[in-house]
Amino acid sequence: MPTPLPGLPERVTIYEVGPRDGLQNEKATIPVEVKAQFIERLVAAGLRTIEVTSLVHPRWVPQLADADVLLRDLKRADGVRYPVLVPNERGLDRALELGVADIAIFASATETFAQKNLNRSLDGQLLMFEPVVRRARAAGLAVRGYLSMCFGDPWEGQVPIEQVTRVGRQLLDLGCTELSLGDTIGVGTPGQVQALLGSFIDAGASVGTLAVHFHDTYGQALSNTLAALQAGVTTVDASAGGLGGCPYAESATGNLATEDLVWQLHGMGIDTGVDLTELARTSVWMSEQLGRPSVSRVVQALSQ
Ligand code: MG
C-alpha cells in the first residue's frame, strides 16, 4: 500500500533518456532494429516522453549515426512524445525534414565544458542556439534546453549558483519551453538542489518549466530527486535500467535508473503511468542485448 509523503505532486512526468543519453556512449554498435524495439517496449511500459536519438554529426557520436533511419522507421504511438537532440541549425534542418515535433538542445553552465563539448564560450553557445530555438519555435516545435554541469564541473569544481541561474534564464528567454538542470557528474546534494531551484524561481522561472537530470555517481540521485519534488518540480529525467555513464566522471555510474525512480514514486502514491514490471523486463531484455547486467538496483531486485 503506497504511503504518501506530504507536499509532493500527485503525478510526475518521467522524461526517459535511455535510447539517447543511455546508449550514446556504448562502444559496440547496437542495431537500429534493437533501438526501435527498445523504444517501442518503453512505450508499452507506459512511458510517454522518450528522447530517442540525436541528430549530431556521426563523427562525434558514432552510436547514433543511424538517427535518420531510426526516425524514419520508428512506429509512433498516439499521445507519446519522441524528442530528438539537435546540436545546431544543420541538425534542426534534418529534424524538420524528418517531421520531428520535439527537440532538445544541450548547453553548458560552465565555461570549460562549453569549450570542451561545444567549442564555444559560455556566451558563444547562446549565439549558436539562438537561431535553432527561434526557428524551431516558429515551426511549432517544443524545445527543451539541457543545462549541464549545474552542480559541479570536473575542471572548475563547484559552479556559482548565480552563473547557473543566469545561463538557464538565458535559455528560457531564447524560447526554450522546458529547462532540464543536469548534475552531469553526480556530485550534487539535496540542499544544493533546493537552493538552485529557489534561485530559478526567484529569477522568475516557472517551476513547471523546470526538469531535473540527476546522475547517481555519488549515490545522491534519488535524494536529489525528492528534494526537487519538494520544491515543486514535476518532470524528472531518468534512464531505463540506469543506462549511460558520463564520460567526464571517472568510473561513473550514470543516469538515475527509471525503475529506481518509479519504485520511489509509486511507494509514495505518486502516479507515473509506468508499469514497473514491464519496464524492468524491458531493461533485462536490453541488458541481454548489451551483454551485461543492468546497474539498476530495482531491476536487480525484481529479477532475482
Ligand atoms: Mg545523463
Side-chain angles (χ1 to χ4, degrees), residues 19-20 29-33 35-36 39 51-58 61-74 76 82-87 91 94-95 97-100:
R20 198 278 302 170
T29 304
I30 301 156
V32 68
E33 300 77 23
K35 293 176 184 171
I39 294 161
E51 193 168 286
V52 288
T53 189
S54 169
L55 288 164
V56 66
H57 194 287
V61 187
Q63 183 61 257
L64 303 182
D66 57 8
D68 294 75
V69 180
L70 179 71
L71 290 168
R72 196 191 61 214
D73 294 350
L74 184 66
R76 286 160 172 87
Y82 298 90
V84 172
L85 191 70
V86 161
R94 288 168 67 196
E97 282 163 26
L98 289 157
V100 168

Side-chain angles (χ1 to χ4, degrees), residues 162-182:
E162 302 75 22
Q163 180 177 319
V164 180
T165 310
R166 178 172 58 82
V167 181
R169 193 58 254 193
Q170 287 169 323
L171 289 170
L172 290 170
D173 291 343
L174 285 184
C176 285
T177 45
E178 183 170 272
L179 182 67
S180 173
L181 303 172

Side-chain angles (χ1 to χ4, degrees), residues 17 20-22 24 106 146 182-184 213-215 237 239 243-246 254-256:
V17 300
R20 198 278 302 170
D21 190 12
Q24 67 178 2
F106 193 89
Y146 278 106
D183 186 4
T184 314
H213 184 114
F214 293 125
H215 283 192
D237 298 5
S239 179
L243 287 172
C246 171
N255 292 308
L256 168 61

Side-chain angles (χ1 to χ4, degrees), residues 110-127:
T110 68
E111 187 72 41
T112 312
F113 192 57
Q115 290 288 355
K116 286 187 185 286
N117 197 44
L118 302 168
N119 201 22
R120 294 286 192 291
S121 68
L122 204 49
D123 292 333
Q125 64 178 347
L126 293 160
L127 292 175

